[in-house]
Amino acid sequence: QVQLVESGGGLVEPGGSLRLSCTTSGHSNTLASMAWFRQAPGKEREYVSVITPGGGRIINMSVKHRFTISRDNNKNTVWLQMNSLAPEDTARYFCAAALAEPTPNNPDDYPNWGRGTQVTVPS
């Protein structure tokens, strides 16, 4: 019954930018930490960034200074702004929600997931 829907992925040249969106319904977004994860073929799923209900942020050092997570609780929406994209950023990006305080880099702490959106940066 909890619904998360990602959008905004696509094909972008190196150095380009994308903004991913995640809309949520079926739960209180103001009480849930939200996160973006990504997974490339043959790789483990890794967290990109986490944002708490109050707007606190945790970010993977691999994307710090390039990616920014944000949220609008009134609109039940979470965004991931991605700048200076590189081929190593190519992956499927997933939105996830946790009602309890999660460990950032632990997918098992996020019981609710969207279907994902593909980001491709060619070399």
Side-chain angles (χ1 to χ4, degrees):
Q1 59 184 355
V2 176
Q3 296 175 295
L4 291 78
V5 180
E6 305 96 333
S7 62
L11 178 67
V12 183
E13 293 294 318
S17 298
L18 280 176
R19 179 182 288 109
L20 306 183
S21 297
C22 173
T23 59
T24 65
S25 62
H27 74 288
S28 178
N29 198 35
T30 61
L31 298 178
S33 291
M34 304 291 297
W36 287 97
F37 284 75
R38 66 184 182 183
Q39 187 167 27
K43 302 292 185 180
E44 293 188 1
R45 187 170 298 189
E46 67 173 356
Y47 93 99
V48 177
S49 191
V50 182
I51 187 165
T52 68
R57 297 176 175 88
I58 302 170
I59 190 164
N60 193 309
M61 291 299 295
S62 67
V63 300
K64 190 176 182 180
H65 306 302
R66 297 191 299 120
F67 293 6
T68 303
I69 192 171
S70 60
R71 70 190 294 166
D72 185 328
N73 293 333
N74 187 52
K75 295 183 177 181
N76 296 320
T77 302
V78 181
W79 295 272
L80 183 69
Q81 178 67 45
M82 305 185 294
N83 299 327
S84 301
L85 284 163
E88 53 263 37
D89 297 313
T90 295
R92 192 162 187 86
Y93 285 71
F94 298 88
C95 181
L99 297 180
E101 190 69 29
T103 300
N105 191 22
N106 185 1
D108 292 339
D109 285 351
Y110 299 83
N112 302 306
W113 294 82
R115 67 191 70 180
T117 185
Q118 180 68 33
V119 173
T120 301
V121 186
S123 60

